[in-house]
Every structure is written in C-alpha cells, then in structure tokens.
Amino acid sequence: MTALHSLTIAQANDGLKAKTFSAAELMQACIDRAEAVDGKLNAIVHKNFDRALEEAKKADDKGDFSSPLAGIPYLAKDVYCEEGVPTTACSNVLREKTYVPPFDSTTTKRLKAAGAISIGKANTDEFTMGASTETSCYGPTRNPWDTTRVAGGSSGGSAAGVAADECLFALGTDTGGSIRQPAGFCNVAGIRPTYGRTSRFGVLSMASSLDTIGPICRTAEDMAIVLEAISGKDPLDATTGDVPVPAYRSLLTGNVKGLKIGIPQEYFIPGMNQEVEGAVRAAAEVLKGLGASITEISLPHTKYATPAYYVLCPSEVSSNMARYDGIRYGHTAKDADSLIHYYEQARSGGFGKEVKRRIMVGTYALSAGYFDAYYRQAQRVRTLIRRDFEEAFKTVDIILSPVSPTPAFTVGAHENDPVAMYLEDIFLDGQVMAGIPALSTPCGFSASGLPIGLQIMGPQWGEATILNAAHAYEKATDWTSKKPNL
Amino acid sequence: MSLSHDDVRHIAKLARLSLSEEEVALFAGQLTSILGYVDMLREVDTTGVEATAQATGLNNVFRPDELRAEPLAEPDALLATSPLPITDHQIETPSAHG
C-alpha cells in the first residue's frame, strides 16, 4: 500500500471514508516524514505538529469525512496569518518580536471549515520577494530532487514540502510566478488563479494588484479540490470577483477533444534550453493525440512583461512595506533619537537586501519626475499585454509554454546579480500583467534528473478549462507519480 | 540612467531606510542595472493606451456602513503584537519631537 504521506488528497479521502486508516495515522505519517527529511530541505519554518495531531484526533472523533479535505495535512506559506501560529514572512522584521496573528486569513479559515489541518508554516523568500527561497531569514529551501539546488521561489517551502511528502498539499502565493516556478522545479503542480478568484485577506501583502492566493498539490484533481474550497467573493477583500465558484472537481472530464491550444512563438526563444523546449513541445503532442488541436500564435508584447512587472511590483511593494515601521509590529530600534530615526533604524535593521532593493526601485519609480516615465508607462504596457491575451483567446482555448527557462539552478548561482534572478520569471509575468489564470504541471525531467514544468494558461475565470487540460495530460503520462530519492 | 550615491541616499531617505556607505555603493550599482533593464519599456509606443490599475475591471466596491456582528480580532490582542509599551490601550511611540 502507498505510504500514507504519499497519497493524493483524493486517495486520502477515500481511505479515511473507508476507515482504512485514521486521520491521526495520516497526520502522524506526515509528521514522521517531515521529522525525517526536513533537516535536509528546510521547507518548514514554524512547526505546529502537536496542535495538528490534536485536530486530527478530533476529526476522527467527529468521524465525518464527507468533505474531501477533512483531516488532510497541509503547509501554509509563512505569509498566511493563522491565529496563534507564528507568521513572519521569513523576515527579521517579524522575527525579533515574532508576529503571532490574533486572526485567521480568509483562506486558512475556509480550509479549516472544510476540515483541512495546517501542520505549520512553509519557508519563503523574505516577504515573497525572490525566485529561489534564498532570501528567507531562515536560510534557503533545498530542492528534494538535488539538494545542491534551489527549490525555487518564493513558495519554495510549499513546493518542496509537497514534493517530499511532508504534507498532502500546501498554500503558496503567486505574484510574479511564485507558485508556478517552484512547482515546476520540484515536480509538483501549482495554480495561479485569476486575480480576484481567491481572497488575499490575512495574507501579508507584497504587490496588491498582482498577488494571488493558490495551492500547490500533487495532481490536477487535488488542485481542483483545494481551489473549490478557497475560492469565492470575500467581503474582507474588495478585489475578489463576484463570480460563482464552479464545481472544479466535477468538471474534470479528462476530455480535450476539440480543445484549441495556442503555442506562443515568443516563449520559444532561439538558443533556449533544448530539454525544456523538447519536454513542452512533447506535452503539446500528447494533448494533440487526445484530440486537441495546436496553433502557433503570437503574444507580441511578451518580452515587456518582466520589465513591466519589475516596475509595478516594486512600486506596490514600496507602499506595502511602509507599514513595517516598528510601531504596530516588528523589529525595533533601541537608540533612535527621533521618530524618523526610529523608523529608519527599525526598518533597515529588519529588512534584507532584496526587500530594500525593491522598496528603493519602487520609491524611485513613484517619485516626482519619474512617475510617468516608469510607473505610468508600465501600467500602459500592462494594458497592451492584457490585449495580446484577449486577442489570442478569441482563437484558442488555452496556451502552453515552459514554466522556467532551465530546470532548478544551484544555491547561490544568482547571488550577486539581481537582474539574472528577475529573468527567471520571463515566462511567468505576462499572465500576471493580464490577470489570467495559469498553472504549472510536471512534464518531464532533464537528463540529470531535474523536473521540468509545463505552463497552461487560460482566459480570466477559465480555471476549469486549464485544470481539465492538466488532468487529461496527467492521465496520459506518469510524471506526477515520480518521487524524489530522499 | 546611472544612479549616483546621492541619488541612492535621497531614495533611502524617502523610503525611511538608513544605509551604510557600503550599502549605498552596492545599491547604486545594483539599482542602476535594474533600472537599466526596465528601461526597455521606453521602446513601447503607448500613445493613446489607457493604464491598467486592476486586471478584473472592478471599481467602487462598497459595503453598507454597518458594524460587523463579530469583531475579527479584539483590540487588545491586536495591540499585543506591538514591540512597544502599551499604556491605556495605546501604543507608546517614540516622540516625534526627539
């Protein structure tokens, strides 16, 4: 029998309903697995194992597993406020006097209502700024497939945790690829929903018009299960859409006959990594074999997505980071001689270099004399990118591309080159600009055994279509069942 | 567009950050290369293109001005997260006047 910690949510729910095993046994299996492997990975930064086991026992006492998430262990990225659990955004700003929220984020609250049990907080780049989980104040998360390499970021802890079977799913956030990229590096699946599909309330903000809340799972079915539980309008987040939540799981037919797939030429750059290109094109052929049709399309403004992101994101970051002034929470300063000096010392003592860089780029881009040239121009380019996708979705139903230009890079590879790190996002920022949903699903391995991710993009509110395409592809291949050797 | 050390000090002041001289030098170089990268946006002709502030077309989302039935958190619990002394349900901040 498959080890309990390796089960999918769907399989675990079947087992719990059939009383093949108990929620406490499932939880203990994940805890034991985490104790065994997390030392090598550093995916978990705040453990909540005792409380999780208590909750699992209560679930057994209650005996109601009609909800597919009842008793299912998960990790929450360390930006999701959970009442009574340390939430530090992996930043020294919130670590010194450890921030323990007195309230739950809407997402963890919805998961709790569905019966899922958080086992702790997953490692992230500091305030989710990064593509490798290396800027975390707790140190990097290692890739379970090769621990000399990064797990990706910023949701590296979430992706590694799922890949290493420390939990059955995890919550991540995707602002510039931070769910999709680590999922792609770790051979797991992750979805960035349509902006406004899920609620950002109670999640430490990075860039308010770009942040999205989404799960990292083992399969498309599991993503559908979690997405259904966490989606929907939230009065506490005015940017959530008043759009009904489809029954994502029951819409997974696996049938893609007649599905029109677009392959955007701008995502297949001359000289790109041959293994990555090969794996993605092969995936398109698999879907074609299942009855889909493939068309070459153009998204002309693709190359401007990442530069636009690196103007808009830091600008919004500079605004969102202003709250960390050492007053209501956070790092303090001891010898300040005035309030302003106190702010400067508290902030500078707490924030890491990447956060400072982004605050400064944003402050510059928003300052008098530069606002039109940078911020306003980026917002206009954003409109052009959005139009490219709207135009494309008139003729195709989904769009395929690689997730990352290469498989996982080594820890420290981009240490002194911020722009090289930003370029890791080149395939992941167009969707952010356009506010459309996109997921990453495993599509193969490099010759050296490193996972390669396939990105599937859809029109706004089109999560059901992209999940179904991922589901069909998954059923015709076997990548999601592969496990790292830990 | 090359940032001088004075430019960096000015930005840091606006952002309420204090930087060491080493950091000023490091960031001057790094910020210059980041801004150099995003400068590519100037190539795009955006005449007549409106800005996108929000991707899903929402605006003016209102709710009735009514008290919530249950508070999301108790005021004292929220104050307890402050690193500064709490007096009379208020945070004692450093003086603005030095």
Side-chain angles (χ1 to χ4, degrees):
Chain A
M1 192 184 80
T2 316
L4 296 183
H5 51 256
S6 302
L7 295 173
T8 64
I9 297 171
Q11 291 166 338
N13 182 245
D14 285 343
L16 289 165
K17 281 204 284 236
K19 295 197 179 333
T20 315
F21 47 84
S22 66
E25 285 172 318
L26 174 63
M27 181 59 75
Q28 192 62 57
C30 288
I31 291 171
D32 290 344
R33 176 68 173 171
E35 300 284 23
V37 303
D38 203 62
K40 290 186 235 183
L41 302 177
N42 195 28
I44 303 179
V45 296
H46 306 295
K47 295 180 184 173
N48 203 11
F49 294 167
D50 295 336
R51 191 166 103 169
L53 204 46
E54 270 172 42
E55 292 299 315
K57 290 181 183 147
K58 284 185 198 159
D60 284 327
D61 289 339
K62 205 170 148 201
D64 178 8
F65 296 101
S66 53
S67 162
L69 286 167
I72 303 295
Y74 76 97
L75 277 171
K77 187 175 185 179
D78 194 27
V79 287
Y80 283 83
C81 287
E82 289 184 82
E83 191 179 337
V85 183
T87 304
T88 64
C90 297
S91 172
N92 285 322
V93 164
L94 294 177
R95 186 184 182 183
E96 182 200 45
K97 179 183 161 115
T98 304
Y99 180 65
V100 180
F103 63 96
D104 256 282
S105 66
T106 293
T107 301
T108 53
K109 199 165 174 185
R110 284 175 175 171
L111 284 174
K112 205 182 277 191
I117 303 171
S118 164
I119 68 170
K121 302 311 261 282
N123 203 4
T124 164
D125 279 298
E126 185 185 359
F127 281 109
T128 77
M129 298 185 212
S132 63
T133 312
E134 290 177 283
T135 65
S136 165
C137 70
Y138 300 107
T141 294
R142 304 272 165 167
N143 193 311
W145 297 86
D146 176 345
T147 55
T148 65
R149 294 179 183 267
V150 300
S154 57
S155 310
S158 303
V162 176
D165 294 347
E166 298 183 57
C167 55
L168 267 55
F169 75 96
L171 288 175
T173 61
D174 189 307
T175 302
S178 292
I179 283 175
R180 296 164 283 159
Q181 188 253 36
F185 278 1
C186 292
N187 203 60
V188 288
I191 181 167
R192 178 200 162 88
T194 306
Y195 178 83
R197 176 75 284 181
T198 45
S199 170
R200 293 177 298 110
F201 176 78
V203 181
L204 276 49
S205 295
M206 178 182 158
S208 306
S209 84
L210 310 172
D211 289 345
T212 60
I213 298 309
I216 294 180
C217 302
R218 303 210 173 102
T219 61
E221 182 179 26
D222 281 4
M223 286 196 285
I225 290 170
V226 181
L227 194 60
E228 228 176 288
I230 64 175
S231 295
K233 185 169 165 69
D234 181 15
L236 297 172
D237 176 357
T239 62
T240 50
D242 198 358
V243 175
V245 181
Y248 291 122
R249 188 186 187 181
S250 61
L251 292 171
L252 295 174
T253 59
N255 182 2
V256 293
K257 287 200 179 67
L259 185 74
K260 298 196 235 46
I261 300 176
I263 306 284
Q265 63 195 52
E266 293 83 1
Y267 283 68
F268 293 86
I269 308 161
M272 78 181 286
N273 182 298
Q274 287 301 289
E275 290 178 300
V276 169
E277 180 170 2
V280 172
R281 289 198 184 276
E285 289 301 308
V286 167
L287 286 165
K288 189 173 172 190
L290 295 172
S293 64
I294 301 182
T295 324
E296 293 274 321
I297 60 167
S298 173
L299 295 167
H301 296 90
T302 295
K303 73 174 185 183
Y304 300 110
T306 299
Y309 175 81
Y310 280 103
V311 170
L312 296 174
C313 169
S315 300
E316 296 185 12
V317 159
S318 71
S319 177
N320 279 326
M321 295 298 118
R323 72 195 65 184
Y324 300 108
D325 55 8
I327 306 288
R328 285 164 294 169
Y329 23 65
H331 201 84
T332 50
K334 306 288 180 249
D335 301 309
D337 52 26
S338 72
L339 184 62
I340 302 289
H341 194 217
Y342 177 82
Y343 289 154
E344 289 172 351
Q345 298 292 88
R347 289 161 61 75
S348 308
F351 288 134
K353 286 201 166 58
E354 182 59 35
V355 174
K356 285 178 179 164
R357 268 192 290 271
R358 296 206 194 187
I359 290 172
M360 288 196 284
V361 169
T363 303
Y364 181 82
L366 291 172
S367 65
Y370 297 107
F371 179 83
D372 282 324
Y374 287 102
Y375 189 77
R376 184 57 61 67
Q377 176 69 350
Q379 281 194 315
R380 291 191 175 121
V381 170
R382 189 176 179 184
T383 302
L384 294 175
I385 294 169
R386 195 161 53 85
R387 284 183 195 165
D388 281 357
F389 280 102
E390 281 166 3
E391 211 39 52
F393 286 122
K394 287 178 183 164
T395 56
V396 299
D397 301 312
I398 65 171
I399 298 171
L400 297 186
S401 84
V403 171
S404 300
T406 66
F409 46 91
T410 51
V411 173
H414 298 317
E415 201 172 331
N416 296 312
D417 194 345
V419 176
M421 189 67 86
Y422 297 166
L423 293 174
E424 291 292 338
D425 293 347
I426 47 168
F427 300 136
L428 304 172
D429 291 326
Q431 310 76 35
V432 174
M433 293 294 106
I436 61 170
L439 60 83
S440 170
T441 193
C443 71
F445 291 84
S446 70
S448 55
L450 296 173
I452 297 172
L454 169 72
Q455 177 168 227
I456 307 179
M457 314 167 211
Q460 279 188 351
W461 314 109
E463 285 81 351
T465 311
I466 59 175
L467 284 168
N468 191 45
H471 182 66
Y473 174 70
E474 199 186 284
K475 293 291 167 209
T477 57
D478 201 30
W479 311 118
T480 54
S481 65
K482 305 273 183 276
K483 298 285 185 187
N485 203 4
L486 278 167
Chain B
M1 167 50 81
S2 187
L3 288 185
S4 69
H5 289 201
D6 277 343
D7 290 329
V8 174
R9 288 189 201 99
H10 175 64
I11 296 167
K13 188 169 163 195
L14 291 176
R16 299 289 181 241
L17 293 171
S18 81
L19 303 177
S20 65
E21 277 315 296
E22 271 165 1
E23 284 176 307
V24 170
L26 174 72
F27 287 136
Q30 291 181 339
L31 295 181
T32 297
S33 76
I34 294 169
L35 292 169
Y37 170 64
V38 304
D39 261 348
M40 151 181 359
L41 294 174
R42 290 174 196 274
E43 290 167 18
V44 187
D45 181 4
T46 55
T47 329
V49 179
E50 79 277 12
T52 296
Q54 204 264 19
T56 47
L58 290 174
N59 53 45
N60 295 338
V61 178
F62 293 119
R63 65 173 176 85
D65 186 15
E66 286 159 5
L67 279 180
R68 194 180 299 289
E70 270 173 42
L72 289 169
E74 292 301 324
D76 281 342
L78 291 168
L79 288 170
T81 66
S82 172
L84 296 172
I86 309 294
T87 307
D88 215 7
H89 308 288
Q90 295 165 96
I91 299 174
E92 260 189 63
T93 69
S95 169
H97 306 291

